[in-house]
Coordinates of all heavy atoms in Angstrom, one line a residue:
L410 N 116.7 94.6 81.9 CA 116.9 93.1 81.6 C 117.1 92.3 82.6 O 116.6 91.1 82.7 CB 118.1 93.0 80.6 CG 118.0 93.5 79.1 CD1 119.3 93.3 78.4 CD2 116.9 92.5 78.5
A411 N 117.7 92.7 83.7 CA 118.0 91.9 85.0 C 116.7 91.5 85.7 O 115.7 92.3 85.6 CB 119.0 92.6 85.9
T412 N 116.7 90.6 86.6 CA 115.6 90.3 87.2 C 115.5 91.2 88.4 O 116.4 91.5 89.1 CB 115.9 88.8 87.9 OG1 116.1 87.9 86.9 CG2 114.6 88.4 88.7
S413 N 114.3 91.7 88.6 CA 114.2 92.8 89.6 C 113.3 92.1 90.7 O 112.6 91.2 90.6 CB 113.4 94.0 89.0 OG 112.1 93.6 88.5
Q414 N 113.4 92.8 92.0 CA 112.6 92.3 93.1 C 111.9 93.4 93.7 O 112.3 94.5 94.0 CB 113.8 91.8 94.2 CG 113.0 91.2 95.4 CD 114.1 90.6 96.3 OE1 115.3 90.7 96.0 NE2 113.6 90.1 97.5
T415 N 110.5 93.2 93.7 CA 109.6 94.3 94.1 C 108.9 93.7 95.3 O 108.1 92.8 95.3 CB 108.6 94.6 93.1 OG1 109.4 94.8 91.8 CG2 107.8 95.7 93.5
N416 N 109.2 94.4 96.5 CA 108.4 94.0 97.7 C 108.7 92.5 98.0 O 107.6 91.9 98.4 CB 107.0 94.4 97.7 CG 106.9 95.9 97.7 OD1 107.7 96.6 98.1 ND2 105.7 96.4 97.2
G417 N 109.9 91.9 97.7 CA 110.0 90.6 98.0 C 109.6 89.6 97.0 O 110.0 88.4 97.0
E418 N 109.0 90.1 95.9 CA 108.6 89.2 94.8 C 109.5 89.4 93.6 O 109.9 90.4 93.3 CB 107.2 89.4 94.4 CG 106.1 89.3 95.5 CD 104.7 89.6 95.0 OE1 104.5 89.9 93.9 OE2 103.8 89.6 95.9
T419 N 109.9 88.3 93.0 CA 110.8 88.3 91.9 C 110.1 88.2 90.6 O 109.1 87.4 90.5 CB 111.9 87.1 92.0 OG1 112.4 87.0 93.3 CG2 112.8 87.1 90.9
S420 N 110.5 89.2 89.7 CA 109.8 89.1 88.4 C 110.9 89.3 87.3 O 112.0 89.8 87.6 CB 108.8 90.3 88.3 OG 109.4 91.5 88.5
Q421 N 110.6 88.8 86.2 CA 111.4 89.0 85.0 C 110.8 89.7 83.8 O 109.9 89.1 83.1 CB 111.8 87.5 84.5 CG 112.7 87.4 83.3 CD 114.2 87.9 83.6 OE1 114.7 87.5 84.9 NE2 115.0 88.5 82.9
P422 N 110.9 90.9 83.8 CA 110.2 91.8 82.7 C 110.9 91.4 81.4 O 112.0 91.1 81.1 CB 110.6 93.2 83.1 CG 111.8 93.1 84.0 CD 111.8 91.8 84.6
S423 N 110.0 91.5 80.4 CA 110.3 91.1 79.1 C 110.6 92.4 78.2 O 109.9 93.3 78.3 CB 109.1 90.3 78.4 OG 109.5 90.2 77.0
L424 N 111.5 92.2 77.3 CA 111.8 93.4 76.4 C 110.6 93.7 75.5 O 110.5 94.8 75.0 CB 113.1 93.2 75.6 CG 114.4 93.8 76.1 CD1 115.5 93.3 75.3 CD2 114.3 95.3 76.4
L425 N 109.9 92.7 75.3 CA 108.7 92.8 74.3 C 107.6 93.7 75.0 O 106.7 94.0 74.2 CB 108.2 91.5 73.9 CG 109.2 90.6 73.1 CD1 108.6 89.3 72.7 CD2 109.7 91.4 71.9
D426 N 107.8 93.8 76.3 CA 106.6 94.5 76.9 C 106.9 96.0 77.2 O 106.4 96.6 78.0 CB 106.4 93.9 78.4 CG 105.1 94.3 79.0 OD1 104.1 94.5 78.2 OD2 105.1 94.3 80.2
V427 N 107.8 96.5 76.4 CA 108.2 98.0 76.7 C 107.2 99.0 76.3 O 107.3 100.1 76.5 CB 109.5 98.3 76.0 CG1 110.8 97.6 76.7 CG2 109.5 98.0 74.5
Q428 N 106.2 98.5 75.5 CA 105.1 99.4 75.1 C 104.2 100.0 76.3 O 103.8 101.0 76.2 CB 104.2 98.8 74.1 CG 105.0 98.6 72.6 CD 104.0 98.2 71.7 OE1 102.6 98.2 71.8 NE2 104.5 97.7 70.6
S429 N 104.1 99.1 77.3 CA 103.3 99.4 78.4 C 104.1 100.6 79.2 O 105.2 100.7 79.3 CB 103.1 98.3 79.3 OG 104.4 97.8 79.8
T430 N 103.2 101.5 79.9 CA 103.8 102.5 80.5 C 104.4 102.1 81.9 O 104.0 101.1 82.3 CB 102.8 103.7 80.7 OG1 101.6 103.0 81.4 CG2 102.3 104.3 79.5
P431 N 105.3 102.9 82.4 CA 105.9 102.4 83.7 C 105.0 102.5 84.8 O 104.1 103.2 85.0 CB 107.1 103.5 83.8 CG 106.6 104.6 83.1 CD 105.8 104.1 82.0
S432 N 105.1 101.5 85.8 CA 104.4 101.6 87.0 C 104.8 102.7 87.9 O 106.1 103.1 87.7 CB 104.5 100.4 87.8 OG 105.9 100.0 88.1
R433 N 104.2 103.2 88.9 CA 104.7 104.3 89.7 C 105.9 103.9 90.5 O 106.9 104.6 90.7 CB 103.6 104.7 90.6 CG 102.4 105.2 89.8 CD 101.3 105.5 90.7 NE 101.5 106.6 91.5 CZ 100.7 107.1 92.4 NH1 99.6 106.5 92.7 NH2 100.9 108.3 93.0
S434 N 105.9 102.6 90.9 CA 107.2 102.2 91.7 C 108.5 102.2 90.8 O 109.5 102.5 91.1 CB 107.0 100.8 92.2 OG 106.7 99.9 91.0
Q435 N 108.3 102.0 89.4 CA 109.4 102.1 88.5 C 109.9 103.4 88.3 O 111.1 103.6 88.3 CB 109.0 101.4 87.1 CG 108.9 99.9 87.0 CD 108.5 99.5 85.7 OE1 107.6 100.0 85.1 NE2 109.1 98.4 85.2
Q436 N 108.9 104.3 88.3 CA 109.3 105.8 88.2 C 110.1 106.1 89.4 O 111.0 106.9 89.3 CB 108.1 106.6 88.0 CG 107.2 106.3 86.8 CD 105.9 107.0 86.7 OE1 105.6 107.7 87.6 NE2 105.3 106.8 85.7
I437 N 109.6 105.7 90.6 CA 110.4 106.3 91.8 C 111.8 105.6 91.7 O 112.7 106.3 92.0 CB 109.8 105.5 93.0 CG1 108.2 105.9 93.2 CG2 110.6 105.7 94.3 CD1 107.5 105.1 94.2
N438 N 112.0 104.4 91.3 CA 113.3 103.8 91.2 C 114.2 104.6 90.3 O 115.3 104.9 90.5 CB 113.2 102.3 90.8 CG 114.6 101.6 90.7 OD1 115.4 101.8 91.6 ND2 114.8 100.9 89.6
A439 N 113.5 104.8 89.1 CA 114.4 105.6 88.1 C 114.8 106.9 88.5 O 115.8 107.4 88.4 CB 113.5 105.8 86.7
L440 N 113.8 107.6 89.2 CA 114.1 109.0 89.6 C 115.1 109.0 90.8 O 115.9 109.9 91.0 CB 112.7 109.7 90.0 CG 112.0 110.1 88.9 CD1 110.6 110.4 89.4 CD2 112.5 111.2 88.0
S441 N 115.2 107.9 91.6 CA 116.0 107.9 92.8 C 117.4 107.6 92.5 O 118.3 107.7 93.2 CB 115.5 107.0 94.0 OG 115.4 105.6 93.4
R442 N 117.5 107.0 91.2 CA 118.8 106.5 90.7 C 119.6 107.7 90.1 O 120.9 107.6 89.9 CB 118.7 105.4 89.7 CG 118.3 104.0 90.3 CD 118.4 102.9 89.3 NE 117.8 103.2 88.2 CZ 116.7 102.5 87.7 NH1 116.3 101.6 88.4 NH2 116.1 102.7 86.6
V443 N 119.0 108.5 89.5 CA 119.6 109.6 88.9 C 120.7 110.4 89.5 O 120.6 110.6 90.8 CB 118.6 110.7 88.2 CG1 117.8 109.9 87.2 CG2 117.9 111.4 89.3
Q444 N 121.8 110.8 89.0 CA 122.9 111.4 89.6 C 123.6 112.4 88.5 O 123.5 112.1 87.4 CB 123.8 110.5 90.2 CG 124.3 109.5 89.1 CD 125.3 108.5 89.8 OE1 125.7 108.6 91.0 NE2 125.6 107.4 89.1
D445 N 124.2 113.4 88.9 CA 124.9 114.3 88.0 C 126.1 113.8 87.3 O 127.1 113.5 88.2 CB 125.2 115.6 88.8 CG 124.1 116.6 88.6 OD1 123.5 116.7 87.5 OD2 124.0 117.6 89.5

């Protein structure tokens, strides 16, 4: 929900856009955040 910053560019993703599949950079972020 929060504003994210990708390579210096600010974007505001919409909750209505969750049908689209994640970009590869989003996958990297998600996988790098995981912890036990």
Side-chain angles (χ1 to χ4, degrees):
L410 279 174
T412 303
S413 60
Q414 184 174 358
T415 310
N416 294 334
E418 297 181 4
T419 303
S420 61
Q421 180 75 33
S423 169
L424 261 181
L425 300 176
D426 194 34
V427 291
Q428 290 188 10
S429 59
T430 54
S432 64
R433 300 175 72 188
S434 57
Q435 285 176 320
Q436 293 171 3
I437 300 164
N438 180 46
L440 291 169
S441 61
R442 288 193 304 248
V443 296
Q444 55 185 349
D445 263 332

